[in-house]
Amino acid sequence: MKIVVQKYGGSSVATTEKIKEVAKKVIRKKEEGYHVVVIVSAMGKTTDELISLAKGITDHPVPREMDMLLTTGEQISIALLSMALNASGYSAVSFTGPQLNIQTTSIHQKARIKDIEASKLLRALEEDKIVVVAGFQGVTEDNEITTLGRGGSDTSAVALAAKLGASCEIYTDVDGIYTMDPRKLKRARKIEKINYEEMMEMASLGAGVMHYRAVELGHKYRIPIYVASTFSEEIGTIITNGGDASMEETLVTGMASSLDDIQITLLNLPSSTSSLYRLFGELGEQEVNVDMISQMLTEDHRMNVSFTISKTDLHVAEEIVEKWRQEDKSVQWEVNTDIAKISVVGLGMRSHSGVAAKVFELMANNHIEIKMVTTSEIIITWVIDQKDELKAIELIGKGFGLEMEE
Amino acid sequence: MKIVVQKYGGSSVATTEKIKEVAKKVIRKKEEGYHVVVIVSAMGKTTDELISLAKGITDHPVPREMDMLLTTGEQISIALLSMALNASGYSAVSFTGPQLNIQTTSIHQKARIKDIEASKLLRALEEDKIVVVAGFQGVTEDNEITTLGRGGSDTSAVALAAKLGASCEIYTDVDGIYTMDPRKLKRARKIEKINYEEMMEMASLGAGVMHYRAVELGHKYRIPIYVASTFSEEIGTIITNGGDASMEETLVTGMASSLDDIQITLLNLPSSTSSLYRLFGELGEQEVNVDMISQMLTEDHRMNVSFTISKTDLHVAEEIVEKWRQEDKSVQWEVNTDIAKISVVGLGMRSHSGVAAKVFELMANNHIEIKMVTTSEIIITWVIDQKDELKAIELIGKGFGLEMEE
């Protein structure tokens, strides 16, 4: 059976008119001879509206009941899309997560898919029906309704594709994965093919349409994921093994930039591993997610430590570092909120060195100060002044061929 | 276990503020020492909004997907009410119809409850939780989501009460059952106690808050149903075996009136049973619901037939009767759209005759023409001119003691 799993995001099904357009697109695929499974998200702002209803009741709704509430959003979408398909003369049937027994762990609001019972779905496909499935939701062993958290519908789609041995198409409001957010690099190039690992790094940087968990699942089960625009016929991006066609020569596949972080620096800490252990231990206990860390010993056997965290964690972190100063007056700390974090991602870095060096050169020649740097196998990240962000993006874009060809 | 089943209608949960008020009312019952099961309908206009979404897709949505769509309305309500109860410090848990395995027949949009698996619900009650259940919905053997049709949430409530051996309280926007719609008879009296059979007749006349099926179910399982206002402390009406406290002297318990019917009269039909068979057979095939029928032979061995149907079926019925005139030019037909249908209901009529005679007398003395009359065991119905409706209601109201005492 030639099966394709298509997923349409909330903006693609925001109105009944758009749902009818989506139905046409689904039908075209069906007419090409595929068995089609469609995953849909909640319509446009529905989830936000439901959240605001909950806020009208209490500021701290129980997570179980939030799942009960939010899963209605996708249920509305599947019913309407299935109606639209049936109204066009195609036999279609919709299923909620619980109906398909999309089994998840029992952590409400961030459950993870454990397994899917495909029998019911396959039976419907064998009857030549188009199957419409509610994304983002599942059910526990105890028949409790769960949701998968952010990016959940993408994860549903990839998991279903994996279970069915199908290919997976993610339709959204952008037409593919770009080397860089085109709002920041006007001439950013659309990537034809990107490797799972690169895409995971891009996703974890908050860039590039897809959510990390969905890409990770695609990687695990080797499901090619095609990302394209719902309402255009432009060729999108395929996430797969391998990588860009010209991968051999490509050092850097994509870039991401964020203004959501701040840098905290502690000077003259006691130079011992236990200091670091205590510092990051306390931050972790308060659920402050530390991103980059840089540490350096000073001549007088003290230690300077600099790290970045999300802006939203500033006050918690300040309380923790202030305690050091209270205990040891030689310790000083400072916060820099005007930073930009720029990352480049590329599988090519595994076999080719020199990316970091080239970026240092580009920055130095253009008087951009680098405040921090971390490297891992296929990603390098710099912290610079916020004012230099766009200039740095442009330099790296040109320097590593991330722009469209003239 | 002392269990009470409470049901709150759509207007009682129309806003988050009202849901919080309902939560307080539920908690008061819990504090009185009851285990409480709460059934809720969809919030205010939610069902209408969902129906209008479906209309945006197609004029003829498949019933299965309408059920998929509409059941989200009650699911939203149960989540919010459960949140409100939990936020007030009471342990509550919500369940959809499928989660509680409220088993129904498989006719979408008008399924009937077959059985309810009470184990899950009882377990939650034993854990001292308040259980919030989505009304109006159930699930088939094949795990298909169904709805119960009009009045479905009342039916859910009575069925659950029957299963749990609990009492049943229906909270709504009126404060009980009245002898007559107070909009038509200003001094209509609230009925303290009404018998199931009387209430079923009232309900099938479209009068009196409760839906026929729910009362029928209460009757079958002898579940007393208390009907009262959500947001007032006024004593409501109890529907039960027996009847009004003063039943022995009461001939007429309640009255209803409708302007939704029309009267069609056929003159000079061939006088044979096969004519009647054909006429009502054809109307039935076209799903025209015939209400009252009156038939009379003429001197020349022909027959006159008069019947009432709903206004909405006028055109279908006209086509059918016009065929008779085409076939047999002596047949004539006429439609009267300006009629009112007035019924009186009372168990007392079983043992006391004279109700019909007294009404004829009242009408004659006041020059109100009676165009048609039908009687059955506990109900008598008259058709009169629409212009006489309110006058007739007042005469009967006074004549049979249906008004409040001075």
Side-chain angles (χ1 to χ4, degrees):
Chain A
M1 224 180 344
K2 212 165 70 171
I3 308 175
V4 62
V5 173
Q6 297 191 326
K7 181 254 172 176
Y8 294 90
S11 59
S12 305
V13 293
T15 64
T16 52
E17 284 314 308
K18 286 187 174 179
I19 289 174
K20 287 191 265 189
E21 287 303 311
V22 164
K24 285 183 198 161
K25 194 163 177 121
V26 170
I27 286 169
R28 281 202 295 279
K29 200 78 189 182
K30 176 78 182 153
E31 286 297 319
E32 287 172 22
Y34 287 91
H35 288 285
V36 189
V37 177
V38 193
I39 317 288
V40 277
S41 301
M43 293 171 76
K45 296 284 159 222
T46 304
T47 303
D48 291 343
E49 286 163 16
L50 291 170
I51 289 171
S52 114
L53 274 178
K55 288 251 177 281
I57 297 286
T58 169
D59 287 334
H60 303 288
V62 276
R64 179 191 186 277
E65 303 299 341
M66 273 310 278
D67 282 355
M68 181 66 83
L69 181 68
L70 294 182
T71 47
T72 61
E74 285 74 22
Q75 190 171 330
I76 291 171
S77 300
I78 58 171
L80 295 175
L81 179 57
S82 179
M83 280 176 199
L85 291 165
N86 279 288
S88 303
Y90 288 77
S91 180
V93 63
S94 70
F95 292 117
T96 63
Q99 277 184 311
L100 278 191
N101 200 6
I102 297 180
Q103 294 165 35
T104 72
T105 57
S106 55
I107 302 162
H108 284 289
Q109 303 212 253
K110 34 187 161 181
R112 301 185 76 95
I113 296 177
K114 284 164 40 180
D115 200 4
I116 300 172
E117 207 181 285
S119 58
K120 188 164 191 166
L121 205 158
L122 285 169
R123 208 157 50 239
L125 291 179
E126 275 157 17
E127 289 166 3
D128 212 33
K129 288 178 178 153
I130 297 168
V131 177
V132 185
V133 180
F136 179 65
Q137 56 183 248
V139 68
T140 69
E141 272 179 343
D142 295 336
N143 207 18
E144 293 279 291
I145 298 170
T146 50
T147 62
L148 305 178
R150 283 178 66 88
S153 287
D154 288 347
T155 308
S156 304
V158 177
L160 268 172
K163 188 71 190 181
L164 298 170
S167 57
C168 184
E169 304 176 349
I170 306 285
Y171 291 101
T172 175
D173 50 3
V174 299
D175 63 356
I177 314 292
Y178 280 74
T179 52
M180 175 71 198
D181 184 341
R183 285 169 301 186
K184 289 186 173 174
L185 181 65
K186 236 172 66 184
R187 295 187 40 78
R189 181 167 49 77
K190 199 195 295 178
I191 304 171
E192 204 178 306
K193 252 187 185 177
I194 186 170
N195 182 279
Y196 294 115
E197 291 171 74
E198 290 171 331
M199 191 64 221
M200 281 190 272
E201 295 290 359
M202 295 280 276
S204 68
L205 293 168
V209 188
M210 289 283 292
H211 197 264
Y212 181 86
R213 283 168 61 193
V215 185
E216 187 188 27
L217 204 62
H219 184 210
K220 185 170 169 189
Y221 292 100
R222 304 284 157 179
I223 303 299
I225 303 168
Y226 177 67
V227 178
S229 159
T230 307
F231 300 116
S232 102
E233 294 304 311
E234 285 236 16
I235 304 267
T237 300
I238 186 125
I239 308 166
T240 179
N241 234 4
D244 205 324
S246 55
M247 181 186 125
E248 285 302 310
E249 302 104 71
T250 310
L251 281 176
V252 172
T253 302
M255 172 170 38
S257 155
S258 161
L259 302 179
D260 296 335
D261 300 78
I262 51 171
Q263 181 185 22
I264 297 184
T265 304
L266 279 138
L267 301 171
N268 294 317
L269 275 181
S271 171
S272 73
T273 313
S274 69
S275 300
L276 290 176
Y277 175 76
R278 177 181 156 194
L279 174 62
F280 294 112
E282 286 183 6
L283 288 166
E285 268 168 31
Q286 299 298 312
E287 298 191 0
V288 174
N289 203 354
V290 175
D291 180 23
M292 302 169 70
I293 299 175
S294 144
Q295 169 231 1
M296 194 166 295
L297 298 184
T298 61
E299 281 176 16
D300 52 349
H301 303 289
R302 303 286 280 187
M303 180 172 67
N304 298 341
V305 177
S306 196
F307 58 90
T308 64
I309 58 172
S310 163
K311 264 191 181 131
T312 54
D313 289 331
L314 172 60
H315 294 297
V316 182
E318 275 181 341
E319 275 177 34
I320 291 171
V321 297
E322 174 61 16
K323 273 196 301 189
W324 289 83
R325 201 186 58 83
Q326 302 282 350
E327 291 169 21
D328 178 350
K329 295 296 176 195
S330 64
V331 171
Q332 289 176 287
W333 61 269
E334 57 187 44
V335 173
N336 186 352
T337 56
D338 294 326
I339 61 165
K341 195 181 81 179
I342 295 186
S343 305
V344 296
V345 173
L347 272 188
M349 290 189 224
R350 269 187 190 151
S351 43
H352 294 74
S353 55
V355 172
K358 186 163 175 191
V359 172
F360 283 124
E361 186 192 346
L362 289 168
M363 300 297 116
N365 290 345
N366 290 275
H367 313 292
I368 295 175
E369 187 194 14
I370 289 175
K371 300 172 150 319
M372 220 171 156
V373 60
T374 57
T375 63
S376 71
E377 205 181 20
I378 66 166
I379 182 168
I380 306 179
T381 303
W382 291 267
V383 168
I384 58 175
D385 272 334
Q386 217 166 89
K387 67 173 171 48
D388 295 325
E389 185 201 15
L390 294 181
K391 192 169 162 199
I393 288 170
E394 204 195 323
L395 290 166
I396 297 171
K398 277 202 204 315
F400 290 94
L402 300 182
E403 296 187 308
M404 289 181 277
E405 279 164 34
E406 300 287 331
Chain B
M1 222 178 346
K2 210 166 69 170
I3 308 176
V4 63
V5 173
Q6 297 191 325
K7 180 255 172 178
Y8 294 91
S11 59
S12 305
V13 293
T15 63
T16 51
E17 282 316 308
K18 285 187 174 180
I19 289 174
K20 286 191 266 189
E21 287 304 310
V22 164
K24 282 182 201 162
K25 194 164 176 120
V26 170
I27 287 168
R28 280 201 296 277
K29 199 81 190 181
K30 176 79 182 153
E31 285 297 320
E32 285 172 22
Y34 287 91
H35 289 283
V36 190
V37 176
V38 193
I39 317 289
V40 277
S41 302
M43 293 171 76
K45 297 284 160 221
T46 304
T47 303
D48 291 343
E49 285 163 16
L50 292 171
I51 289 170
S52 113
L53 275 178
K55 287 252 177 282
I57 297 286
T58 168
D59 286 334
H60 304 287
V62 276
R64 178 191 187 277
E65 303 300 341
M66 273 310 278
D67 282 355
M68 181 66 84
L69 181 68
L70 293 182
T71 48
T72 61
E74 285 74 23
Q75 191 171 330
I76 291 170
S77 299
I78 59 171
L80 294 175
L81 179 57
S82 180
M83 280 175 198
L85 290 164
N86 278 289
S88 302
Y90 288 78
S91 181
V93 63
S94 71
F95 293 117
T96 64
Q99 276 183 314
L100 277 193
N101 200 9
I102 297 181
Q103 294 165 35
T104 71
T105 57
S106 55
I107 303 163
H108 285 288
Q109 303 213 253
K110 35 187 157 180
R112 298 184 77 95
I113 296 178
K114 284 163 39 178
D115 200 5
I116 299 172
E117 207 181 284
S119 58
K120 188 164 190 166
L121 204 158
L122 285 169
R123 209 159 47 242
L125 290 179
E126 274 157 17
E127 289 165 4
D128 212 32
K129 288 179 178 154
I130 297 168
V131 177
V132 185
V133 180
F136 180 64
Q137 57 183 248
V139 69
T140 70
E141 272 180 345
D142 294 336
N143 207 17
E144 294 277 290
I145 298 170
T146 51
T147 63
L148 306 178
R150 283 178 64 87
S153 288
D154 288 347
T155 308
S156 305
V158 178
L160 268 171
K163 188 72 191 182
L164 298 170
S167 57
C168 184
E169 303 176 350
I170 306 284
Y171 290 102
T172 176
D173 49 3
V174 300
D175 63 358
I177 314 291
Y178 279 75
T179 53
M180 174 71 199
D181 185 341
R183 284 168 302 186
K184 290 188 174 172
L185 181 66
K186 237 172 65 183
R187 298 188 38 80
R189 181 166 48 79
K190 198 196 295 176
I191 304 170
E192 204 177 304
K193 252 187 187 177
I194 186 170
N195 182 280
Y196 294 115
E197 291 170 73
E198 291 171 329
M199 191 65 223
M200 281 190 270
E201 295 291 359
M202 297 280 277
S204 68
L205 294 168
V209 189
M210 290 282 293
H211 197 264
Y212 181 86
R213 283 168 61 193
V215 186
E216 187 188 28
L217 204 63
H219 184 211
K220 185 170 171 190
Y221 292 100
R222 305 283 156 176
I223 304 300
I225 303 169
Y226 177 68
V227 179
S229 158
T230 308
F231 301 115
S232 103
E233 294 304 311
E234 283 237 18
I235 306 265
T237 300
I238 186 123
I239 308 166
T240 179
N241 236 3
D244 205 323
S246 54
M247 184 186 122
E248 286 303 310
E249 301 103 72
T250 309
L251 282 175
V252 172
T253 302
M255 173 171 37
S257 156
S258 160
L259 302 179
D260 297 333
D261 301 80
I262 52 171
Q263 181 185 20
I264 296 184
T265 305
L266 280 137
L267 301 171
N268 293 318
L269 273 182
S271 170
S272 73
T273 313
S274 69
S275 299
L276 290 175
Y277 176 75
R278 176 179 156 195
L279 174 62
F280 294 113
E282 285 183 7
L283 288 165
E285 268 167 34
Q286 299 297 313
E287 297 191 0
V288 174
N289 204 353
V290 175
D291 181 21
M292 301 170 73
I293 298 176
S294 142
Q295 171 231 0
M296 194 166 297
L297 299 184
T298 63
E299 282 173 19
D300 50 349
H301 302 287
R302 305 284 283 185
M303 182 172 65
N304 296 341
V305 177
S306 196
F307 58 90
T308 64
I309 58 172
S310 165
K311 264 193 181 125
T312 53
D313 290 331
L314 173 59
H315 295 296
V316 181
E318 275 180 339
E319 277 177 32
I320 290 170
V321 297
E322 174 60 16
K323 271 197 302 187
W324 290 81
R325 204 186 55 82
Q326 303 282 351
E327 290 170 21
D328 178 347
K329 294 299 176 193
S330 64
V331 171
Q332 289 175 287
W333 62 269
E334 56 189 44
V335 173
N336 187 351
T337 55
D338 294 326
I339 61 165
K341 196 180 83 181
I342 295 187
S343 306
V344 295
V345 173
L347 271 189
M349 290 189 224
R350 268 188 192 153
S351 43
H352 295 73
S353 56
V355 171
K358 184 165 176 187
V359 172
F360 283 124
E361 186 192 346
L362 288 168
M363 299 299 116
N365 290 344
N366 290 277
H367 313 293
I368 296 175
E369 188 194 14
I370 289 176
K371 301 170 149 318
M372 220 172 155
V373 60
T374 58
T375 64
S376 72
E377 205 181 19
I378 66 167
I379 182 167
I380 306 179
T381 303
W382 291 267
V383 168
I384 58 173
D385 273 333
Q386 218 166 89
K387 65 174 172 48
D388 295 326
E389 186 202 16
L390 295 181
K391 192 169 161 198
I393 289 170
E394 205 196 320
L395 290 167
I396 297 171
K398 277 201 204 315
F400 291 94
L402 301 182
E403 296 187 310
M404 289 180 278
E405 279 163 35
E406 301 287 333

